[in-house]
Amino acid sequence: MAETPVYSIVAPIFNEYDNIPELYRRVSEVMDSTGETWELVLVDDGSTDGSTDRIRELAARDKRVRQVIFARNFGHQIAVTAGLDYSRGQAIVIIDADLQDPPEVILELAEKWKEGYEVVYAVRAEREGETWFKKVTAALFYRLIFRITDVKIPLDTGDFRLLDRKVVNVMNQMRERHRFLRGMASWVGFKQIGVRYKRLARLSGETKYPFSKMLKLALNAITGFSYFPLQVATYVGFVAAGLAIIAIPIVAVLRVTGSHFFEGQTTTLISVLFLGGVQLISLGILGEYVGRIYDEVKGRPLYVVREAPEDDRLNQA
Ligand code: UDP
Ligand code: MG
């Protein structure tokens, strides 16, 4: 076996006890069928259900399995980042541990890679076993991001994808804390292509992405790749000022001609509340960016590792 494998499969794991054996079995089967060398990098993102021991057992039994165990839960995007840091393959595949992304699709991704594509992302043509709420919010999210961000992030595409070593090397240098890996992979450039697949229902367990985490990811995506929310305040400011410039002479004329149309506190109250609201929202948006700047400035490591394969960590956190 060559020193470095051709393929690295990266799977983030947060309480996936029941899914790990099947993940290992399916990935092994698919990867063995390629006839190439491979490794499976399992990143334990602070699991509390015994997943950690299952990962350790697998790593002890099969040298192709390598474990990265976090000191606590750092979140999905950070877990995948650690997986990228520790993987050594020439082509790196990011896959969910719950088997919503069928490992068999890796063969199709690999085919495109062999044709010379450096990023092969899997597009969700269909989704099975997800609530309408998740589907609607996801569809809206992808379209919003597509519209307002500066990089063209493909629609209906998750993190399930194959990345060439060249791309991963660049992404590993991008140490931003609030990460949106899909955006980062698009930002890098290179030859990219999509492969359509059917996203299945979870094999076992519940989603680890509640609405609060989805919202956080969406905010990271927007703030990470767009200034648009900051500019909204400017636009609203111009509109409000424009309205005032039109309104002032009108009200003055009405007053002089003796009309009582604009008397009373209601109009004043409404405009004060409206503008106060807009200002507070703008401040909040500013805060989202400032908070992120603060996090970057602190320069803490992206994650803390409890156990990892020795000596072969390619990048520091
Ligand atoms: N995950 C993780 N850390 C987290 C949340 C999720 O490592 O804090 C992993 C999870 O174990 C799974 C993948 O990320 O392998 C995708 O999560 P999930 O299936 O819950 O998200 P969904 O598919 O529902 O969007
Ligand atoms: Mg899932």
Side-chain angles (χ1 to χ4, degrees), residues 12 14 16 45 97-98 100 134 199 202 207-208 213:
F14 180 49
E16 305 283 3
D45 187 13
D98 58 1
Q100 280 194 282
K134 179 125 188 170
R199 186 159 160 91
R202 242 176 186 279
T207 175
K208 309 298 181 306
K213 277 192 186 171

Side-chain angles (χ1 to χ4, degrees), residues 230-258:
L230 290 173
Q231 291 157 344
V232 168
T234 320
Y235 303 142
V236 176
F238 273 113
V239 171
L243 282 176
I245 287 171
I246 299 168
I248 291 165
I250 294 175
V251 174
V253 169
L254 286 175
R255 225 1 114 69
V256 170
T257 55

Side-chain angles (χ1 to χ4, degrees), residues 3 15 29 97 133 152 160 164 275 286 288 291 305:
E3 185 48 38
N15 295 341
E29 204 176 282
F133 180 74
K152 285 301 156 233
F160 185 28
D164 188 87
L275 274 184
L286 207 60
E288 290 290 336
V305 163

Side-chain angles (χ1 to χ4, degrees), residues 20-312:
I20 293 170
E22 185 65 5
L23 174 76
Y24 170 69
R25 196 188 66 73
R26 295 258 300 272
V27 167
S28 307
E29 204 176 282
V30 168
M31 296 319 293
D32 282 342
S33 78
T34 63
E36 311 264 23
T37 51
W38 57 273
E39 65 179 1
L40 175 61
V41 182
L42 297 176
V43 183
D44 175 40
D45 187 13
S47 295
T48 51
D49 69 341
S51 294
T52 317
D53 284 333
R54 281 224 149 141
I55 295 171
R56 285 195 189 109
E57 278 163 28
L58 275 181
R61 213 169 70 209
D62 186 341
K63 282 280 152 272
R64 296 171 301 184
V65 178
R66 301 166 71 229
Q67 94 266 34
V68 179
I69 294 170
F70 279 1
R72 64 167 168 88
N73 179 258
F74 280 89
H76 167 251
Q77 298 282 302
I78 299 289
V80 173
T81 302
L84 296 183
D85 287 342
Y86 281 93
S87 62
R88 305 169 299 179
Q90 286 312 302
I92 295 93
V93 178
I94 303 168
I95 195 168
D96 279 359
D98 58 1
L99 294 162
Q100 280 194 282
D101 309 324
E104 292 70 29
V105 177
I106 296 175
L107 298 177
E108 289 173 49
L109 304 181
E111 221 168 85
K112 290 286 174 202
W113 178 59
K114 293 212 162 130
E115 283 173 24
Y117 291 97
E118 284 130 334
V119 175
V120 190
Y121 50 84
V123 184
R124 299 164 178 180
E126 260 180 77
R127 288 169 159 242
E128 219 174 52
E130 281 179 298
T131 61
W132 67 265
F133 180 74
K134 179 125 188 170
K135 285 185 194 168
V136 169
T137 47
L140 279 177
F141 165 66
Y142 289 125
R143 274 144 195 87
L144 178 75
I145 302 290
F146 188 78
R147 289 212 129 206
I148 71 169
T149 57
D150 307 326
V151 281
K152 285 301 156 233
I153 301 163
L155 291 173
D156 301 319
T157 303
D159 286 308
F160 185 28
R161 58 183 62 218
L162 181 149
L163 304 167
D164 188 87
R165 168 54 51 195
K166 291 195 283 277
V167 176
V168 171
N169 284 347
V170 180
M171 286 174 71
N172 285 351
Q173 287 172 34
M174 299 162 74
R175 304 312 287 179
E176 58 223 61
R177 250 130 272 274
H178 300 275
R179 299 170 86 75
F180 185 59
L181 293 164
R182 294 156 225 187
M184 290 165 61
S186 294
W187 180 90
V188 171
F190 288 111
K191 269 179 81 180
Q192 310 217 355
I193 195 170
V195 165
R196 292 166 73 79
Y197 80 112
K198 184 172 168 189
R199 186 159 160 91
L200 306 174
R202 242 176 186 279
L203 180 70
S204 155
E206 298 260 290
T207 175
K208 309 298 181 306
Y209 252 98
F211 185 67
S212 57
K213 277 192 186 171
M214 276 160 55
L215 198 65
K216 234 170 102 182
L217 183 70
L219 278 175
N220 287 344
I222 295 167
T223 54
F225 292 93
S226 169
Y227 297 132
F228 179 75
L230 290 173
Q231 291 157 344
V232 168
T234 320
Y235 303 142
V236 176
F238 273 113
V239 171
L243 282 176
I245 287 171
I246 299 168
I248 291 165
I250 294 175
V251 174
V253 169
L254 286 175
R255 225 1 114 69
V256 170
T257 55
S259 161
H260 294 281
F261 192 69
F262 272 108
E263 262 182 14
Q265 294 179 349
T266 325
T267 37
T268 319
L269 195 65
I270 287 173
S271 52
V272 166
L273 281 180
F274 176 75
L275 274 184
V278 168
Q279 282 169 354
L280 286 178
I281 292 170
S282 306
L283 262 182
I285 292 173
L286 207 60
E288 290 290 336
Y289 283 86
V290 173
R292 282 169 171 77
I293 297 171
Y294 182 47
D295 280 342
E296 294 297 341
V297 169
K298 280 190 280 191
R300 291 184 185 160
L302 287 187
Y303 51 84
V304 181
V305 163
R306 183 197 295 279
E307 286 163 49
E310 307 235 317
D311 300 331
D312 48 21

